[in-house]
Amino acid sequence: MTTEYVVMNEEAPDLSVIKRAGRIIKEGGLVAFPTETVYGLGGDALNPESSRKIYEAKGRPSDNPLIVHICRLEDIEPIVREIPPEAKKLAEAFWPGPLTMIFRKSSLVPKETTGGLDTVAVRFPSNKIAQALIDAAGGYIAAPSANRSGRPSPTLAKYCLEDLDGRVEMIIDGGQVGIGLESTIIDLTEDEPVILRPGFINKKMLQEVLGRVEVDSTLITPDSGIAPKAPGMKYRHYAPKGELVIIEGERDKVVSEINRAAGYNRAHGLRTGVICTDETRDLYDADCVKSAGPRGDEDSVARELFRILREFDDDGAERIYSESFSGGELGQAIMNRLMKAAGHRVVRTDEGETLHFK
Ligand code: TXA
Ligand code: MG
């Protein structure tokens, strides 16, 4: 199949192209499109065959459920069994926006879309292109992030093309996304609301609306051997081809540990990548030094992280070291992705840990 690539301005979506893209989805095809979090790989959420195609195009295990995207609040009713009062409050506070809620599903939603589960994840994105496309496609688009399984989620349309060329009918390029990390997922099907995936809408923001909010325990201690409640959270994800390690601690110690490693790598013919901030960039002596923005600007770090991880592959970085970004409001969401990308390898210089070279 040839993939059509269309550039579009979010402020003025080209409605004739949107209409055509909507028709592609209605007829069972796939379209990659921008959202405010990351690019999505969209198909008809109510058509089991479309969901099968999504799994195939992504190379994704079919037990990993898809998020159903809507563009009108009232469209939620036909696809869920009940709407808990918490959902109404959250929708009012955060929709349209980067929050996904889990409900018990109605029979309208095929099991193929929910990876065999009785629950369905629903999100109402704020991106105008996404909203127009969902409307044109009939109101329900199932969309995982538009990357091949295991790779970082695309924050630019060129990465959708890199991963999905020849596998989808159309890619809509709406520019760089605003947030850069996937939506927060909250489960509303149990007694207590539980965060299954941290994101831009953080625990504090959710607590302000709901009072008590739990965090899935596997996010806190990922090596506990218990399966995460969001099936996708158990898979290896985001990892660059090179080996990534997070170096934590006081700034000067982190810089000197990374430079020591870079020196060793250079002597052994290995290329070194570094993920840092504007403040530290000039302190590193390594092959590919990439700043995610000023340390105080978490939004920038979130937005640039997946791009940087992808760029290291093109640069041929074999050993990659990242500063830690656990400080602020977005710290949990950023570190959740970074820790996965690093396979949970962390060196805590504050505790006297050092890198071991081989
Ligand atoms: O920001 C986002 O959420 C993006 C954009 C495109 O909207 N989408 C996205 O989808 O990140 P995906 O498929 O890459 O991640 C969906 C996550 C997976 O970890 C999946 O296991 C979980 O949501 N999930 C989906 N339905 C679920 C359900 N019924 N119960 C528990 N987890 C669910
Ligand atoms: Mg994904």
Side-chain angles (χ1 to χ4, degrees):
M1 139 188 358
T2 39
T3 299
E4 185 184 352
Y5 189 93
V6 197
V7 178
M8 205 178 281
N9 177 355
E10 191 192 341
E11 298 316 314
D14 181 336
L15 292 178
S16 67
V17 176
I18 291 283
K19 209 169 153 194
R20 205 149 48 75
R23 200 173 323 123
I24 291 172
I25 290 177
K26 277 182 173 164
E27 287 168 2
L30 304 180
V31 176
F33 64 98
T35 82
E36 67 277 23
T37 57
V38 298
Y39 275 78
L41 166 57
D44 182 352
L46 306 185
N47 178 351
E49 195 47 46
S50 296
S51 294
R52 270 194 284 270
K53 275 193 204 163
I54 291 175
Y55 289 114
E56 198 187 318
K58 258 184 87 90
R60 175 175 185 148
S62 60
D63 69 343
N64 189 359
L66 308 173
I67 295 174
V68 178
H69 294 66
I70 57 171
C71 62
R72 277 172 297 262
L73 214 46
E74 60 268 29
D75 288 349
I76 196 168
E77 271 164 37
I79 58 170
V80 304
R81 280 231 294 272
E82 74 246 322
I83 303 175
E86 290 88 355
K88 292 199 176 118
K89 289 189 200 158
L90 290 177
E92 199 169 307
F94 303 117
W95 274 4
L99 179 70
T100 296
M101 298 188 231
I102 312 277
F103 299 85
R104 289 181 213 289
K105 78 170 193 69
S106 78
S107 57
L108 200 60
V109 186
K111 288 257 176 165
E112 284 77 0
T113 300
T114 64
L117 297 177
D118 286 327
T119 54
V120 60
V122 186
R123 176 158 118 77
F124 181 171
S126 63
N127 182 289
K128 296 284 179 275
I129 296 172
Q131 290 180 356
L133 179 65
I134 296 162
D135 190 29
Y140 301 100
I141 291 187
S145 49
N147 49 284
R148 292 299 301 270
S149 195
R151 303 210 73 200
S153 303
T155 51
L156 290 158
K158 68 170 180 182
Y159 297 135
C160 302
L161 190 65
E162 205 173 281
D163 282 16
L164 299 172
D165 195 13
R167 296 172 164 266
V168 297
E169 275 79 2
M170 189 191 278
I171 294 170
I172 302 177
D173 180 347
Q176 185 174 13
V177 299
I179 294 178
L181 301 176
E182 308 87 344
S183 61
T184 306
I185 302 180
I186 188 162
D187 185 357
L188 301 174
T189 64
E190 308 278 349
D191 295 339
E192 295 282 345
V194 187
I195 297 171
L196 305 188
R197 180 171 72 182
F200 182 84
I201 309 287
N202 62 37
K203 187 178 174 189
K204 202 167 116 225
M205 292 156 83
L206 294 164
Q207 278 173 331
E208 273 163 21
V209 177
L210 295 183
R212 249 185 102 178
V213 175
E214 304 287 325
V215 177
D216 186 7
S217 62
T218 64
L219 293 178
I220 302 161
T221 43
D223 300 325
S224 60
I226 304 165
K229 279 208 66 190
M233 300 294 279
K234 73 175 177 272
Y235 292 106
R236 190 182 135 92
H237 222 227
Y238 314 123
K241 294 188 187 111
E243 182 182 279
L244 170 63
V245 185
I246 301 166
I247 315 291
E248 279 185 359
E250 201 186 295
R251 181 177 115 168
D252 291 351
K253 276 197 187 155
V254 169
V255 170
S256 78
E257 186 62 5
I258 292 177
N259 279 335
R260 192 171 73 87
Y264 173 92
N265 294 341
R266 183 172 301 129
H268 291 79
L270 294 165
R271 281 179 77 75
T272 301
V274 180
I275 306 177
C276 62
T277 56
D278 288 357
E279 289 83 352
T280 52
R281 168 192 260 151
D282 294 339
L283 305 176
Y284 291 107
D285 182 14
D287 303 298
C288 335
V289 179
K290 296 181 192 288
S291 170
R295 177 147 288 277
D297 185 353
E298 286 190 299
D299 290 347
S300 168
V301 175
R303 197 167 50 238
E304 303 303 332
L305 180 64
F306 288 155
R307 175 183 64 79
I308 289 175
L309 288 174
R310 278 182 180 256
E311 280 178 5
F312 284 129
D313 287 351
D314 299 332
D315 296 338
E318 294 158 287
R319 298 277 169 87
I320 305 164
Y321 309 100
S322 179
E323 293 180 7
S324 177
F325 299 95
S326 53
E329 305 264 293
L330 268 177
Q332 202 191 16
I334 294 169
M335 291 310 288
N336 170 265
R337 304 333 189 260
L338 195 56
M339 288 288 268
K340 276 189 189 223
H344 294 95
R345 283 183 294 263
V346 184
V347 167
R348 296 179 177 86
T349 60
D350 284 355
E351 294 171 19
E353 292 177 4
T354 54
L355 278 159
H356 298 288
F357 304 125
K358 50 182 179 320

